[in-house]
Amino acid sequence: MSGIRIEDLTVSIGARPILQALSLEAHEGEFLVLLGPSGCGKSTLLGAVAGLVPVTSGRVLIGGEDVTDKDPAERHIGMVFQSYALYPTMTVERNLSFGLRVRRTPRAEIERRVRAAAELLQLTPLLGRRPAALSGGQRQRVAIGRALVREARVYLLDEPLSNLDASLRATLRRELKLLHRRLGATMIYVTHDQVEALTLATRIAVLDEGVLQQVGTPDEVYRRPANRFVAGFLGSPGMNFIDGRIARRDGCATFTGAGLEVPLDALDVTTVPDGCAVTLGIRPEHVALGSGPYAAAVRLVEPMGATRIITLDCDGTPLVSLEPGERPYADGERIPFSLDARHASLFDVSTGARI
Amino acid sequence: MRRASASVGRIVLHALVVLAALGVLLPLYVMIVTSLKSMDEIRSGALFALPQAPSLAAWKDAWSHACTGLACDGLHAGFANSLWIAVPSTLVAVALGALNGYVLALWRPRGSNLLFGLLMIGAFIPVQVMMYPLVRALGAVGLVGSLPGIVVVHVIFSMPLMTLLFRNYYAALPVELFNAARIDGAGFWTTWTLVLLPMSAPMLAVAAIMQVTGVWNDYLLGLVFAGHELAPMTVQLNNLINTTTGTRNYGVDMAATLLTSLVPLLVYFASGRWFVRGITAGALRG
């Protein structure tokens, strides 16, 4: 048993609440990603699990044991920090072994674990170097190695890839995913990068302003966002939001707004009253250009290599489409398009909650 | 035009630097040449003239024969006293300052900001104000006129500066480093001795230089708290120059003064590089 349970956790700094009565669970072996904009409290949450941030109320359980009042050292966790936080005066080998030496692990055991971690992370030739003589990617691997030698069942990672350049980030992201599969340990990973969240997570917890917005698999969070915040935070380019109303005719619900009439047969909207103001959310990949019942003028074309981002103007409301086509568009040209309403989401105008 | 005005600026700048250097070096030159002259030559009044027959007699006199009050065996006893006082005062003050800085910057116990504020206020109160109560307090525990007494006094008065230096140095480090050590299981002392102190070399050097020179150059505290037996070099120098028996030998006065300021000078020459590096360490790290 080495899952992590967070129960009713509140963290306040002074009178300012950072996290409010938050409950969340990372099951054993899970890769749980905490995703949110900067300042949403995700790093504070990780710090509270690690024991680095004092908890105002609530409980943290690791492997079923209440560790709320325990020292970070007693929680049997490995942690990787955003700035790597390597000890600058120590060689890679001593960085890796520091936690074991402090705990008076037998010398042979230290040797074995350091060798194993170095082998796994391809650090063996670097063991004699100081952190200053390492590249960013190498430093990051040492930071991961330092957590690994603890042979903890729970690992906490605080934006570990954010200080690396884009190509290295993608490489290390894949390595991390393979590493997680190989270790089978519980991991909590904090990031503001949705690509990292979607590619790595078994489940994503989206946070905003200290409040949990949604917890679910990457697919659930992306396809069925619980509210407008989650819908807008995930996806690039972001989801289109169109304000309008629900109209019922002969038992069929239709969304009208921005000059569009979208039949909603595919969505369950029986609870929504006629004339109710809603926001329709539709992802750019579900706006198909070239044919369909609607038409709008092209405002902007942004080629991205494999795809293009095309911004249309629907009665003043911008509508973004992501499409792989090659047909040239003239500025202001009116083109037909269709919306795949099966993938649309409806949100309450006032609360932003999914309908 | 820009080039011309820039070079005018450089000329003015260099002229100012040369003037400042002269302001420091001329008196030093006079002291050195005077210390190498005989009394007859000094009396002739040619202040800037080079010595006609350079001799180290005045230096020998100052070191081992000149009268400092009743005794007439030169400054060498004061030199030893100053060393005895400066070494422990520096070691204890730097160690305690680093420990204070570590606690105030990283552990931040309840009330640590208040404590730091009070310490800083302490730095702005003139030493003289605290002299009398401190004499009474040390007298009550029998420490006046002893080595532990004068060391304790130096350590007390160094605390604001030493603490400030290390607190700011540690506060500029990424807090994640401290957190990593805590996760790794290092406790209060282990984190300090194994992680932070090895990183503090530049600041340890700065603090030690400031403390050595501060203690060495101190006159008042040494006069009041060290007592007669342990009178530091500065106190003996004052006695030597104020001794009114016999003829006044200006050469000996100059030599004695130079001897007394030798240690801080050597410390600066030997470690100036470290000093600059330590002072700018916070800004240039990374």
Side-chain angles (χ1 to χ4, degrees):
Chain A
M1 271 306 292
S2 57
I4 298 168
R5 256 173 81 123
I6 295 150
E7 294 178 352
D8 258 344
L9 189 77
T10 298
V11 173
S12 305
I13 294 178
R16 198 164 59 95
I18 307 294
L19 296 173
Q20 296 178 47
L22 191 145
S23 294
L24 181 64
E25 185 162 7
H27 306 295
E28 178 162 14
E30 186 164 46
F31 199 120
L32 180 72
V33 171
L34 302 180
L35 178 68
S38 52
C40 72
K42 56 192 191 297
S43 286
T44 305
L45 179 56
L46 199 72
V49 174
L52 299 170
V53 172
V55 167
T56 309
S57 67
R59 298 204 300 164
V60 176
L61 291 90
I62 297 179
E65 182 195 0
D66 186 345
V67 296
T68 316
D69 296 318
K70 290 208 163 174
D71 243 28
E74 299 168 339
R75 300 192 180 200
H76 307 292
I77 49 174
M79 188 156 177
V80 180
F81 295 90
Q82 182 174 12
S83 70
Y84 318 143
L86 301 180
Y87 308 123
T89 55
M90 301 181 202
T91 62
V92 169
E93 180 167 16
R94 294 189 76 74
N95 261 285
L96 292 178
S97 64
F98 180 74
L100 302 175
R101 283 184 283 128
V102 164
R103 285 159 202 273
R104 309 201 185 287
T105 311
R107 189 177 294 253
E109 179 66 10
I110 295 181
E111 183 94 340
R112 183 188 71 74
R113 291 202 202 175
V114 169
R115 294 274 161 239
E119 206 62 44
L120 183 66
L121 297 165
Q122 296 151 39
L123 291 171
T124 311
L126 308 174
L127 283 176
R129 291 210 202 157
R130 295 267 169 95
L134 301 177
S135 70
Q138 290 168 337
R139 284 181 206 182
Q140 185 50 266
R141 291 214 297 272
V142 176
I144 293 170
R146 190 172 57 180
L148 286 188
V149 294
R150 297 286 312 279
E151 299 192 345
R153 297 297 309 275
V154 167
Y155 294 96
L156 309 176
L157 301 99
D158 189 2
E159 309 217 17
L161 303 183
S162 62
N163 284 350
L164 301 172
D165 61 58
S167 66
L168 198 56
R169 202 180 307 162
T171 312
L172 274 168
R173 204 175 64 212
R174 274 176 225 119
E175 285 182 14
L176 260 179
K177 188 158 187 167
L178 292 170
L179 189 69
H180 171 252
R181 195 186 290 171
R182 195 164 162 171
L183 295 173
T186 312
M187 293 190 176
I188 298 188
Y189 184 105
V190 164
T191 185
H192 62 264
D193 183 324
Q194 49 165 315
V195 179
E196 282 174 24
L198 292 168
T199 51
L200 287 168
T202 51
R203 282 193 311 152
I204 297 176
V206 185
L207 264 85
D208 186 39
E209 294 182 345
V211 178
L212 199 56
Q213 305 291 320
Q214 186 175 6
V215 187
T217 64
D219 230 40
E220 283 167 7
V221 173
Y222 187 76
R223 292 183 200 283
R224 298 183 53 80
N227 56 41
R228 244 192 97 153
F229 173 80
V230 176
F233 193 74
L234 279 131
S236 173
M239 187 182 260
N240 295 297
F241 294 110
I242 307 163
D243 289 332
R245 289 183 182 283
I246 295 286
R248 283 186 194 285
R249 240 172 280 134
D250 321 323
C252 287
T254 309
F255 170 87
T256 56
L260 306 171
E261 283 198 16
V262 188
L264 301 172
D265 324 328
L267 300 180
D268 178 21
V269 288
T270 48
T271 56
V272 188
D274 188 30
C276 177
V278 295
T279 302
L280 179 82
I282 186 145
R283 296 217 175 266
E285 59 266 37
H286 300 131
V287 179
L289 306 185
S291 65
Y294 320 109
V298 173
R299 277 286 163 261
L300 193 65
V301 179
E302 296 164 88
M304 303 222 302
T307 56
R308 291 185 299 179
I309 301 170
I310 294 164
T311 310
L312 306 173
D313 180 359
C314 284
D315 277 9
T317 303
L319 185 70
V320 174
S321 165
L322 190 67
E323 63 130 43
E326 288 165 13
R327 173 190 180 281
Y329 293 112
D331 185 34
E333 179 183 352
R334 278 187 79 78
I335 50 165
F337 67 92
S338 63
L339 302 175
D340 191 345
R342 285 171 305 165
H343 297 297
S345 301
L346 285 176
F347 302 103
D348 189 302
V349 167
S350 51
T351 65
R354 182 186 188 84
I355 295 171
Chain B
M1 270 313 284
R2 272 192 63 178
R3 285 188 68 89
S5 68
S7 63
V8 168
R10 290 206 74 77
I11 289 167
V12 172
L13 187 70
H14 280 107
L16 283 174
V17 169
V18 168
L19 269 177
L22 279 179
V24 176
L25 291 176
L26 266 184
L28 183 65
Y29 167 79
V30 171
M31 286 178 76
I32 292 172
V33 294
T34 307
S35 75
L36 298 173
K37 290 174 182 172
S38 67
M39 264 318 278
D40 290 338
E41 207 180 332
I42 294 170
R43 278 197 208 91
S44 74
L47 205 56
F48 294 101
L50 284 168
Q52 284 155 3
S55 146
L56 285 174
W59 288 73
K60 279 185 201 138
D61 236 26
W63 182 252
S64 47
H65 301 302
C67 294
T68 57
L70 292 175
C72 284
D73 46 12
L75 282 178
H76 73 273
F79 180 82
N81 287 347
S82 279
L83 267 188
W84 274 111
I85 294 168
V87 171
S89 297
T90 301
L91 292 180
V92 175
V94 170
L96 281 181
L99 187 60
N100 278 351
Y102 165 61
V103 172
L104 291 177
L106 294 171
W107 286 97
R108 300 159 179 268
R110 196 180 294 270
S112 56
N113 279 338
L114 179 71
L115 196 73
F116 185 62
L118 288 175
L119 207 53
M120 287 306 103
I121 291 172
F124 290 106
I125 297 177
V127 171
Q128 290 81 346
V129 172
M130 292 178 265
M131 201 71 92
Y132 181 65
L134 205 56
V135 170
R136 295 298 301 257
L138 282 185
V141 293
L143 280 178
V144 171
S146 71
L147 184 62
I150 179 70
V151 169
V152 163
V153 169
H154 275 305
V155 168
I156 288 173
F157 284 118
S158 72
M159 270 310 100
L161 179 63
M162 293 291 122
T163 303
L164 177 71
L165 285 178
F166 282 97
R167 194 203 81 110
N168 289 355
Y169 188 69
Y170 290 143
L173 294 177
V175 71
E176 290 190 341
L177 202 61
F178 173 67
N179 286 340
R182 287 176 70 192
I183 298 270
D184 266 343
F188 180 88
W189 295 105
T190 326
T191 305
W192 187 50
T193 52
L194 294 186
V195 177
L196 290 164
L197 273 186
M199 297 175 61
S200 315
M203 195 43 75
L204 288 171
V206 168
I209 292 165
M210 291 182 120
Q211 184 66 359
V212 165
T213 52
V215 170
W216 196 275
N217 289 336
D218 156 69
Y219 169 74
L220 191 59
L221 297 179
L223 181 70
V224 175
F225 293 98
H228 186 69
E229 287 290 303
L230 267 170
M233 207 169 183
T234 46
V235 172
Q236 291 211 337
L237 173 68
N238 179 64
N239 294 349
L240 182 147
I241 288 170
N242 287 340
T243 297
T244 46
T245 50
T247 50
R248 162 148 298 185
N249 187 327
Y250 292 107
V252 173
D253 288 359
M254 295 298 176
T257 308
L258 286 169
L259 275 173
T260 306
S261 49
L262 213 54
V263 165
L265 269 179
L266 284 179
V267 167
Y268 272 118
F269 278 129
S271 54
R273 200 166 47 92
W274 275 98
F275 193 78
V276 172
R277 199 188 290 173
I279 285 288
T280 57
L284 295 178
R285 191 175 41 78

